[in-house]
Amino acid sequence: MSAPLQSDPKTLVSTEWLAAHLKDPDLRIIDASWYMPDANRDAEAEYEAAHIPGARFFDIDEISDLRSELSHMAPPVEKFMSRMRQMGIGDGHQVVVYDGSGLFSAARVWWLFRLMGKTDIAVLDGGFPKWKAEGRPVSDEPPVIRDRHMTTRRQNTLVKDVTQVARAAKLRDHEIIDARAAARFKGEVPEPREGLRSGHIPGSKNVPFNTTLNADGTMKPTDALAKVFEEAGVDLSKPAITTCGSGVTAAVLSLALTRLGKNDHSLYDGSWSEWGMYADLPIATGES
């Protein structure tokens, strides 16, 4: 049996930690549930039916750069600030973000806050499923919103675009780590998004995001996490770029790397939705 989670309000906190801090005046909770279309789940409707008391709903698809043809790309700073103000989230708040899968899309919002220069944010380990399984309180009432100004400072080192990733793949000076399932990484199955080629970025390593998690949706302890990356052939001494299908589960790997004390990593926001679309970008299939 693994040791209990050491809660860290900048990365990952336990349900016990959140329950103990639930009534803190400067705590803000976010429900960042998001599902793949084939899941046939309505994240916002589920939030309205039941959520952790005081939680605000974060719409990953809407709080994005809607000028882009790609899904839920990071929003402009001004839009992010505006939406957070509307949600009553600002300077001086400790934020805890969770999702309805356990640990899936919440990490994307954790990464997005960090991209905007906000580090007082943690993912709820095990998410809403663990919270409910433990019989903790839920509510269907909307939160009381009070405006709070948010100061942001975009951290451009935390994100990579397609040109930067292509350069890294050519020079092999970064570890590119792909969070998709092995069959998608190897190009053995069609991509769920129409019109995309199958395979992976040449030279990238495959660490399916769920291999960083326990069966109950909680994140593995750091010693086990280190082993997951090691067994995938990842050289943690190199700077890393995380990627996936559309930039959501890549953030689970970003969270895992941060838990390991590794901070020289960034996320490829376009991910395979972008790379797989362009015929002039190289792809690889099989194991590597």
Side-chain angles (χ1 to χ4, degrees), residues 206-287:
N206 189 207
V207 179
F209 82 93
N210 58 4
T211 62
T212 68
L213 306 177
N214 297 308
D216 64 354
T218 56
M219 185 161 274
K220 290 179 177 178
T222 53
D223 55 345
L225 283 179
K227 190 175 181 183
V228 167
F229 287 103
E230 181 185 329
E231 289 178 349
V234 175
D235 180 356
L236 290 176
S237 70
K238 283 185 176 182
I241 300 169
T242 62
T243 183
C244 60
S246 65
V248 173
T249 57
V252 177
L253 299 188
S254 299
L255 177 63
L257 291 169
T258 304
R259 290 287 292 174
L260 288 173
K262 181 174 176 61
N263 294 309
D264 56 342
H265 57 85
S266 49
L267 184 147
Y268 173 23
D269 204 10
S271 283
W272 196 254
S273 293
E274 182 175 41
W275 192 279
M277 182 170 56
Y278 292 114
D280 57 341
L281 289 172
I283 62 169
T285 56
E287 294 288 348

Side-chain angles (χ1 to χ4, degrees), residues 91-154:
D91 294 344
H93 284 148
Q94 169 64 49
V95 181
V96 174
V97 57
Y98 71 87
D99 63 56
S101 297
L103 207 167
F104 179 64
S105 53
R108 168 72 185 189
V109 173
W110 168 85
W111 171 80
L112 191 55
F113 267 73
R114 289 171 61 86
L115 179 65
M116 300 297 174
K118 310 304 288 183
T119 58
D120 292 330
I121 180 166
V123 173
L124 180 64
D125 200 26
F128 200 39
K130 188 171 190 288
W131 182 268
K132 289 189 295 183
E134 293 168 349
R136 301 189 187 277
V138 299
S139 174
D140 61 359
E141 294 183 13
V144 177
I145 303 294
R146 295 182 182 88
D147 267 13
R148 178 80 73 98
H149 175 72
M150 177 179 280
T151 306
T152 58
R153 186 176 179 184
R154 185 177 157 106

